[in-house]
Amino acid sequence: MTKLTDDTAVDVYYGVGDGTFEAPIVIPVLPKMRDIAVADLDGDGAPDIAALAVAGTMILYARGRTFVADGVYRSGRGVTEIVAGDVDGDGRQDIVSSAFNALAVLLNQCP
């Protein structure tokens, strides 16, 4: 389970298996965070995070119980929401974010 802690961090909660959760792992992200999407973006079976902020979309790949930032991609002005889904039908999760008057599409290029 994930949630936005404030506008600069994402909390990740791993399930214990009995209906409860471990203490959160706090992941710093870009300031002025707006939304997150969780999906397997690199095809390794682990859920990754796409974090949408005013400065752009930050991709965080899961590596065990840590996350590694891949970079920041421009998303447009006035960003509001982000979702993951297979936009181009290639079987990989892509990222779509909405901005003031446009959509930004990040097509997944992971092998």
Side-chain angles (χ1 to χ4, degrees):
M1 178 171 85
T2 59
K3 76 169 188 163
L4 290 170
T5 305
D6 55 28
D7 72 346
T8 62
V10 173
D11 287 355
V12 176
Y13 295 83
Y14 287 99
V16 175
D18 62 1
T20 63
F21 295 93
E22 296 177 4
I25 298 170
V26 180
I27 303 167
V29 291
L30 297 168
K32 299 183 181 176
M33 187 61 45
R34 297 295 187 246
D35 197 13
I36 59 173
V38 178
D40 181 10
L41 299 173
D42 57 2
D44 67 355
D48 305 303
I49 298 172
L52 181 66
V54 170
T57 299
M58 181 179 204
I59 305 297
L60 299 153
Y61 291 111
R63 298 294 180 256
R65 291 189 174 249
T66 61
F67 288 82
V68 177
D70 176 53
V72 178
Y73 302 89
R74 292 193 65 196
S75 299
R77 291 181 39 182
V79 294
T80 57
E81 296 179 62
I82 190 167
V83 295
D86 185 7
V87 175
D88 56 0
D90 65 0
R92 297 180 292 210
Q93 295 294 300
D94 306 304
I95 299 295
V96 179
S97 60
S98 62
F100 176 68
N101 61 356
L103 295 174
V105 179
L106 299 174
L107 296 176
N108 191 335
Q109 300 299 309
C110 285

